Amino acid sequence: MKQDARVGREVGGKVTLYRTYYSHPRYTNYTWSRGGQTLATTRVSDTTIQLNIYGVVVEDRGYNFTLDIGQFDRDRDTGRYSLRVCNPVGCDISTVELSVARPPDEPTQFKVIDNETTSSVWLTWTPAFDGGYPQEFVLEYRKFGSTTWNVFSTYRDTGKVFVVEVNSLAPGETYVFRLHARNAKYDPSRTAFVFLEAKTIGGSASGER
């Protein structure tokens, strides 16, 4: 569970939320809550964590703070959960939003990076909520005026911003690009695309507008 995470799960499946903390000095108390109500099905276990200290990776003792949801019910369990962990120095609060598994959200910040060449353009985008399953992105393109889409590549979501060079293009041409995300809940008949245009450097464009 990441800081301020979103999680999608299947209705009826068993759900357990947890977050790992390193605390020095040792934690003094913690509370899981939802909608201001303290939750009781919690536990803490010791775990080994890795810390990067000035470029040196060392192991130390951490703690898993766990909340057992049990069988996931759409009406009863959907919502935002908070974990508050304190030690003698202070407290930290993290949250997770639990929702029903579904197709992924559209990627955001789909745009052109300003370093086109005669045969390529650079594109970038940011992954959005994966819907509860691992997602991948399909990038397609076509010449402006054409109706034929070509799949350039498919990319697995790593949780990081993507920067991609689309190459083997013609000089001086305008291209239309479209991008969509898919996961195990993906429905091709309801695909949501994001679009943009970009032009390579070079001779005059031959595509009909």
Side-chain angles (χ1 to χ4, degrees), residues 13-204:
K14 183 178 180 181
V15 176
T16 299
L17 304 178
Y18 77 93
R19 181 161 171 77
T20 302
Y21 272 87
Y22 171 74
S23 179
H24 185 77
R26 190 180 191 275
Y27 75 93
T28 54
N29 61 79
Y30 75 97
T31 304
W32 279 98
S33 62
R34 176 173 176 266
Q37 179 182 1
T38 300
L39 304 173
T41 55
T42 66
R43 51 193 166 87
V44 183
S45 58
D46 292 352
T47 188
T48 300
I49 63 172
Q50 292 186 333
L51 302 174
N52 190 320
I53 302 177
Y54 300 110
V56 178
V57 177
V58 298
E59 289 190 348
D60 207 332
R61 189 171 99 176
Y63 308 95
N64 282 335
F65 296 88
T66 302
L67 172 65
D68 294 313
I69 303 293
Q71 300 292 327
F72 180 36
D73 181 272
R74 180 192 301 267
D75 298 323
R76 181 191 66 214
D77 300 320
T78 300
R80 183 173 294 277
Y81 295 78
S82 295
L83 170 63
R84 184 173 188 266
V85 180
C86 299
N87 69 10
V89 178
C91 299
D92 182 78
I93 298 176
S94 59
T95 65
V96 58
E97 182 179 344
L98 180 59
S99 62
V100 177
R102 57 180 174 78
D105 291 349
E106 295 178 10
T108 63
Q109 302 296 314
F110 186 39
K111 57 187 178 182
V112 180
I113 299 177
D114 190 21
N115 59 350
E116 299 92 340
T117 71
T118 56
S119 62
S120 68
V121 296
W122 288 80
L123 309 178
T124 182
W125 68 87
T126 302
F129 178 47
D130 62 10
Y133 285 94
Q135 68 177 335
E136 61 182 13
F137 304 99
V138 181
L139 178 62
E140 300 172 280
Y141 71 95
R142 63 175 173 83
K143 278 188 180 181
F144 201 101
S146 171
T147 59
T148 302
W149 288 99
N150 305 285
V151 176
F152 178 73
S153 191
T154 302
Y155 304 89
R156 292 186 179 275
D157 181 16
T158 63
K160 300 178 181 179
V161 175
F162 281 82
V163 178
V164 173
E165 181 185 20
V166 183
N167 49 30
S168 300
L169 304 178
E173 292 283 0
T174 299
Y175 290 87
V176 181
F177 299 89
R178 70 180 184 183
L179 178 72
H180 72 273
R182 62 188 184 188
N183 65 8
K185 306 291 285 187
Y186 164 72
D187 182 355
S189 67
R190 302 180 66 180
T191 302
F193 296 94
V194 288
F195 295 85
L196 60 76
E197 292 182 17
K199 183 178 180 181
T200 53
I201 296 173
S204 60

